[in-house]
Amino acid sequence: MHAYPAGIDPRLPLVQDADLKDKVVLVRVDHNVVKNGVVRDPYRIDSTIGTLYSIVERGGKLILMSHVGRPRDKSTGHIDTGHATSVRPVVEYLERKLHTRFVVPDLPADPERGIREIDTSVNWHIRDLKRGRIGGIYLPNTRWFEGEEATGEKRHRLAVQLAGLADVFVNDAFGSWQPHASTFDITKHLPSYAGYLMQRELSNLTRVLEPTRPFVAVVAGAKYDTKIGPLSEIYKKVDHLVLGGVIYNTFLCARYGVRIKGVSDSDIEAAGALVEQDRTAKKIVELPLIVESDTLEGRIEGQYRVRDIREFEEGDELGYVLDVDPGSFELPNVAEIMSSASTIFVNAVMGLTPHFYEGSATLDHTIDQNPDAQKFYGGGDTLQEFKNLSPGLYLAAMDDAKYYFFTGGGTVLKAIEEGTPYGLGPVDALIAHSGASRVV
Ligand code: 3PG
Ligand code: MG
């Protein structure tokens, strides 16, 4: 036995303890990085390569699976198995990186219901896999299977069929917290373990949940209602909270009795509790200089301006507020809070990019100027904007031990909301079924 990695629940079965020699290992990854048929940012793929190498090094034979996008229409239940959500671009990327060949089984799909069956044609590929003729098998998008997001018998059948392909299951899909057949039910039918990426993410999540203080969080989002749960939990944990995007606009409306275009009455009402709470706790760091625009159509000269919230009067009506002005971060109280933080967690794009980008870029640089803080970034969009706006800093940060980039944003927020990652369906299932023998 090895020493348990720091910050990991000792009940979690780990891939390093699995017997993989000559075993077919089914690995659930979160390679959900395809936009319009191309790999947009391979960070999530790259982050799983260590797990794949380790499995192969120890004699395991790889079958990979991931979801890509959301091919299932929520209202009709139709599953679209078109190019846009194919795993092909991911497979091509992996083949280039690993210098090997993956086969994607061509499973017949119903035009409306997706793939209903894993038929025996897969067995030929498994034979090639066992004989070392191919580097691995990459299954079609898990959400192309009718059973993946279904309930009852259909879902059970998919889990059993997936399990029938392999000897061992490894979950390395930290970003996929939804309990589906490929992340959750499968653990009932195969010996199941957490991969290295999953472990690394969980251990870093612990550092956010039990932060070294002072702890500053920066949270932004396009919608107030989806973030309200995590936001109120984050509020309890932080010493200081910085808000951006529509979340900040909503807060400003509730705090100062002003109106900002695009902010709904129901959201303003929902933000009331936070405003009340903050009157005494005073954790929210207000960024006073904001950018108001008359239009959402872009950055049009003469149609946007900097406003100062300290000049707000109750009843003021503003246009769209699309960013915070960089000058906000230079104000002494804001600068002091950012430079004295020991832990900083960011799940935020501050402005409406691409036109209003200065708020996010300045945030990233301000945080970087605090060399002592442990910095945690979570969320696909957060990282994408970081990379777009400050590519040099992003590259340096990738190799800097003071930075950690999570591969999943939704997972991190969900875990923060619950106060632990071990209640997340797929993680909990690994623990619940640890030691389970194969019952196919
Ligand atoms: C993500 O990209 O957020 C994860 O892969 C989860 O995807 P989902 O939100 O569609 O489940
Ligand atoms: Mg998401």
Side-chain angles (χ1 to χ4, degrees):
M1 283 288 281
H2 49 81
Y4 244 81
I8 298 215
D9 187 318
R11 295 170 306 160
L12 190 72
L14 309 179
V15 66
Q16 48 271 49
D17 292 329
D19 173 14
L20 301 180
K21 181 128 184 63
D22 299 323
K23 299 276 164 57
V24 176
V25 185
L26 179 60
V27 190
R28 176 58 157 95
V29 286
D30 186 332
H31 289 170
N32 181 23
V33 295
V34 178
K35 292 270 147 64
N36 303 320
V38 292
V39 171
R40 189 148 168 255
D41 179 352
Y43 178 60
R44 283 183 176 190
I45 307 178
D46 295 344
S47 302
T48 57
I49 282 179
T51 300
L52 305 185
Y53 176 83
S54 167
I55 291 170
V56 172
E57 187 211 18
R58 291 160 58 204
K61 306 286 183 186
L62 289 174
I63 302 184
L64 304 187
M65 58 177 174
S66 175
H67 74 278
V68 172
R70 294 180 175 172
R72 184 171 147 273
D73 184 315
K74 270 210 175 114
S75 50
T76 63
H78 290 185
I79 294 173
D80 179 358
T81 57
H83 287 301
T85 55
S86 166
V87 298
R88 281 276 169 207
V90 170
V91 173
E92 282 160 21
Y93 178 85
L94 261 185
E95 289 183 330
R96 283 200 305 276
K97 278 259 149 159
L98 300 178
H99 309 288
T100 188
R101 192 164 77 83
F102 281 83
V103 167
V104 181
D106 190 11
L107 301 173
D110 179 279
E112 288 183 357
R113 297 158 83 174
I115 301 171
R116 308 190 59 201
E117 207 76 55
I118 301 183
D119 64 29
T120 47
S121 66
V122 177
N123 294 340
W124 291 99
H125 301 310
I126 293 180
R127 206 180 57 175
D128 283 347
L129 181 67
K130 285 184 174 161
R131 292 183 179 174
R133 289 196 189 130
I134 54 174
I137 295 172
Y138 205 120
L139 296 179
N141 185 346
T142 55
R143 291 185 184 169
W144 282 9
F145 291 86
E146 187 183 28
E148 172 72 336
E149 298 178 66
T151 49
E153 185 53 26
K154 283 180 184 155
R155 176 151 153 178
H156 171 73
R157 266 170 59 81
L158 176 60
V160 169
Q161 288 184 0
L162 288 172
L165 305 176
D167 305 301
V168 175
F169 173 65
V170 172
N171 187 346
D172 218 20
F174 174 78
S176 311
W177 60 267
Q178 301 203 63
H180 290 155
S182 69
T183 57
F184 181 80
D185 300 67
I186 175 99
T187 60
K188 296 175 195 157
H189 309 290
L190 282 179
S192 301
Y193 302 88
Y196 284 107
L197 173 62
M198 176 70 89
Q199 296 171 39
R200 196 181 79 187
E201 302 272 51
L202 290 172
S203 110
N204 280 285
L205 204 44
T206 304
R207 299 166 78 199
V208 174
L209 293 169
E210 296 161 18
T212 313
R213 294 186 181 278
F215 176 33
V216 176
V218 188
V219 181
K223 285 191 196 143
Y224 191 82
D225 56 350
T226 60
K227 294 249 168 115
I228 191 158
L231 196 62
S232 56
E233 284 312 308
I234 289 174
Y235 188 85
K236 290 182 202 155
K237 293 202 164 69
V238 293
D239 297 293
H240 304 285
L241 178 61
V242 177
L243 301 174
V246 172
I247 290 186
Y248 188 41
N249 295 349
T250 310
F251 170 82
L252 289 176
C253 291
R255 169 83 174 81
Y256 292 102
V258 299
R259 299 304 309 243
I260 293 174
K261 261 199 189 143
V263 179
S264 75
D265 288 335
S266 57
D267 282 353
I268 297 175
E269 214 184 298
L274 187 64
V275 170
E276 269 322 304
Q277 212 176 0
D278 200 55
R279 274 191 217 285
T280 40
K282 296 201 187 323
K283 291 180 174 182
I284 294 177
V285 185
E286 294 182 16
L287 301 172
L289 304 173
I290 57 178
V291 182
E292 176 193 31
S293 170
D294 302 330
T295 170
L296 287 171
E297 299 305 308
R299 189 183 181 103
I300 301 169
E301 220 39 64
Q303 295 198 34
Y304 69 93
R305 62 205 67 83
V306 175
R307 297 278 307 257
D308 189 330
I309 68 169
R310 292 165 294 190
E311 289 160 9
F312 278 171
E313 286 180 20
E314 197 163 337
D316 279 357
E317 305 224 350
L318 285 86
Y320 300 101
V321 171
L322 300 185
D323 202 3
V324 292
D325 183 74
S328 283
F329 293 98
E330 285 161 23
L331 295 167
N333 65 322
V334 179
E336 161 62 22
I337 284 167
M338 299 308 276
S339 64
S340 59
S342 286
T343 306
I344 304 175
F345 169 69
V346 185
N347 184 289
V349 178
M350 303 302 278
L352 186 68
T353 56
H355 300 294
F356 295 92
Y357 57 83
E358 282 120 329
S360 292
T362 310
L363 171 73
D364 294 334
H365 285 277
T366 305
I367 289 173
D368 188 61
Q369 276 156 26
N370 177 341
D372 301 322
Q374 283 294 337
K375 308 158 188 83
F376 298 89
Y377 278 74
D381 293 339
T382 306
L383 286 180
Q384 193 65 49
E385 287 306 336
F386 191 171
K387 191 176 177 185
N388 288 348
L389 300 176
S390 313
L393 178 55
Y394 176 85
L395 281 178
M398 286 273 267
D399 293 322
D400 181 338
K402 288 287 183 185
Y403 277 89
Y404 187 73
F405 294 161
F406 289 105
T407 57
T411 311
V412 175
L413 290 181
K414 190 85 189 149
I416 289 177
E417 188 176 353
E418 296 185 355
T420 166
Y422 294 98
L424 300 172
V427 180
D428 180 48
L430 290 174
I431 293 174
H433 297 285
S434 60
S437 58
R438 196 170 169 186
V439 288
V440 214

